[in-house]
Amino acid sequence: MQIPFLDMKAPYLELKNELDMTYQRVMESGWYVLGKEVEAFEQEFAQYCDVKHCIGVGNGLDALFLILKAWGIGEGDEVIVPTNTYIATWLAVTYTGAKVVPVEPDERTYNIDPNKIEVAITEKTKAIIAVHLYGQPADMPAINEIGKRYHIKVLEDAAQAHGATCYGKRVGGLGDAAGISMYPGKNLGAFGDAGVVTTNDDETADAVRVLRNYGSRVKYHNEVVGHNSRLDELQAALLRVKLRHLDEWNQRRMEVAQRYLYELGDCKEILLPYVPEWAEPVWHLFVIRSQKRDELQKKLTQHGIGSLIHYPIPPHLSGAYKEYGWVKGYYPIAERMANEVLSLPVGPHMKDQAKHVIEKIVYSVGEGI
Ligand SMILES: *Cc1c(COP(=O)(O)O)cnc(C)c1O
């Protein structure tokens, strides 16, 4: 049995008729960038996140970057970022000219540790980016409280957490703004690159709308040095179809995750994800930890089971940030995670495959891996 890490084609096959009809509708409309479909998707996704504004952009990295730009963040400023995240979170800051100030995660939740944020704040700090990593919401009330006290903005990177809730509230409207990727592999994924900005703040929304479209509100009237980062009509229309299935598909992910949590509970050598009682994750990834990670991954591969490492090199040790002079040992929690984490297959189209994954893990661990 071959179990891919994620079946990218299955979402299309499940919704083929609806998606094919949508494709035709958009192609025949003769209008392809920033139009009715984008407007409708923006409204529908804002409603889904229970937030006032949603602005479609080109991808998740741009969403984060445009928010920081909208807030006037740039050279001479500092932005707090988690050490444990996908590098896009950091790149968005770097593109503005501001400095990244990394903060280590809570070892249980893997998200930024609110207790470690305050010591990283300086007079130059302009924002904190909270990433809802692996689909688990960060502790937003604690982070917002710090943001309020120091008058700095809180930005959610919700690329991995469409639909997740924190104290019963959906992510996307919990900080000052959120950048959300809709890359094909995300829980709500387009058929190409896509992203959105969500916010309850009118000024941020207005500034991002202008920035995404060459700095113009009225065609050929360029108020500021803008960018070209627009969600296209086709992706927006296809996302509208998929949005209607997001909750059901998240539920299916949850069923797989619960099965892993329950049936791998007694498995020595591996550490399972921890879910705080105030969090409802959407299981973008199911990340386990093991000191024998590499051996375990090799065994799974031999059994035809796909797995991935999120992420093998923490941003501070990547070539992109070598100018900062960080060396091994600088952010030990992120580094330990890079050596120990392994993401098991999880997705809305797994059916009974979880059983097979569990069997092989239990067997491998029983054999000393
Ligand atoms: C995917 C992802 C991004 C970037 O999204 P793109 O659409 O690929 O630009 C940013 N942050 C996190 C945490 C992500 O997982």
Side-chain angles (χ1 to χ4, degrees):
M1 192 193 296
Q2 289 291 319
I3 303 176
F5 175 72
L6 181 66
D7 186 345
M8 295 289 272
K9 198 172 160 184
Y12 170 63
L13 295 179
E14 183 178 334
L15 307 175
K16 190 176 183 323
N17 284 343
E18 232 183 320
L19 291 168
D20 287 352
M21 274 163 48
T22 303
Y23 168 81
Q24 275 198 341
R25 181 180 80 228
V26 177
M27 294 310 278
E28 284 168 11
S29 77
W31 192 268
Y32 307 113
V33 170
L34 294 188
K36 284 194 197 100
E37 299 288 347
V38 170
E39 274 171 36
F41 177 65
E42 287 176 341
Q43 270 181 20
E44 288 158 13
F45 195 70
Q47 195 170 23
Y48 180 82
C49 295
D50 194 20
V51 68
K52 200 163 161 195
H53 306 281
C54 172
I55 303 108
V57 296
N59 56 63
L61 171 56
D62 281 357
L64 297 167
F65 166 68
L66 293 175
I67 293 166
L68 295 170
K69 285 281 280 190
W71 290 344
I73 291 172
E75 224 163 296
D77 296 332
E78 292 179 359
V79 176
I80 290 175
V81 294
T83 55
N84 184 45
T85 184
Y86 180 54
I87 197 168
T89 314
W90 288 38
L91 290 175
V93 176
T94 303
Y95 286 177
T96 68
K99 231 181 98 189
V100 288
V101 177
V103 167
E104 289 263 73
D106 177 313
E107 277 241 52
R108 290 209 296 173
T109 65
Y110 307 145
N111 278 323
I112 194 165
D113 187 342
N115 296 315
K116 295 178 190 140
I117 292 175
E118 274 192 82
V119 293
I121 294 176
T122 72
E123 274 162 20
K124 295 176 182 165
T125 310
K126 292 286 150 57
I128 303 166
I129 306 186
V131 182
H132 306 303
L133 201 68
Y134 308 147
Q136 300 251 22
D139 186 352
M140 291 307 291
I143 298 165
N144 283 330
E145 191 275 321
I146 298 167
K148 280 228 168 63
R149 200 143 38 82
Y150 288 88
H151 303 287
I152 51 186
K153 302 267 195 194
V154 175
L155 168 50
E156 298 176 81
D157 178 343
Q160 302 190 356
H162 314 128
T165 66
C166 177
Y167 291 94
K169 287 192 190 136
R170 282 246 162 93
V171 303
L174 304 180
D176 292 292
I180 308 180
S181 166
M182 279 148 193
Y183 176 78
K186 311 291 189 192
N187 289 35
L188 176 60
F191 295 87
D193 279 309
V196 297
V197 167
T198 55
T199 181
N200 283 308
D201 183 62
D202 298 345
E203 266 178 52
T204 303
D206 185 59
V208 169
R209 269 186 202 288
V210 171
L211 282 172
R212 75 167 171 185
N213 191 22
Y214 286 112
S216 67
R217 225 175 282 269
V218 179
K219 211 174 167 100
Y220 306 133
H221 290 254
N222 305 89
E223 302 167 24
V224 290
V225 179
H227 301 264
N228 174 6
S229 185
R230 303 174 295 214
L231 178 59
D232 65 70
E233 287 285 279
L234 187 57
Q235 295 304 339
L238 298 170
L239 281 166
R240 291 179 69 195
V241 173
K242 287 185 80 181
L243 178 59
R244 297 198 279 274
H245 299 269
L246 179 58
D247 283 338
E248 185 200 332
W249 288 13
N250 278 343
Q251 179 63 33
R252 289 196 229 157
R253 285 175 181 272
M254 166 118 81
E255 281 158 22
V256 175
Q258 269 169 351
R259 193 152 180 195
Y260 283 149
L261 286 172
Y262 189 70
E263 294 180 36
L264 291 172
D266 295 330
C267 214
K268 290 188 292 288
E269 313 271 2
I270 67 172
L271 192 62
L272 294 172
Y274 162 77
V275 182
E277 84 275 3
W278 46 263
E280 199 180 305
V282 288
W283 302 106
H284 174 61
L285 297 170
F286 190 94
V287 177
I288 63 170
R289 277 172 79 175
S290 169
Q291 307 224 334
K292 296 186 179 167
R293 189 266 315 274
D294 293 339
E295 293 100 304
L296 181 58
Q297 183 172 37
K298 208 188 269 168
K299 272 279 150 64
L300 293 178
T301 307
Q302 283 166 5
H303 290 296
I305 298 167
S307 63
L308 289 173
I309 296 166
H310 297 92
Y311 295 91
I313 302 167
H316 72 278
L317 296 180
S318 72
Y321 287 94
K322 61 174 182 284
E323 275 154 46
Y324 280 73
W326 287 308
V327 291
K328 259 198 187 144
Y330 224 95
Y331 294 109
I333 301 180
E335 291 169 29
R336 199 153 55 238
M337 289 194 61
N339 291 328
E340 296 180 2
V341 293
L342 187 67
S343 306
L344 302 182
V346 64
H349 298 92
M350 272 190 61
K351 303 207 170 67
D352 257 357
Q353 294 167 325
K355 181 167 171 264
H356 186 67
V357 178
I358 291 162
E359 273 170 17
K360 296 303 173 201
I361 293 176
V362 171
Y363 179 76
S364 300
V365 169
E367 297 277 291
I369 304 179

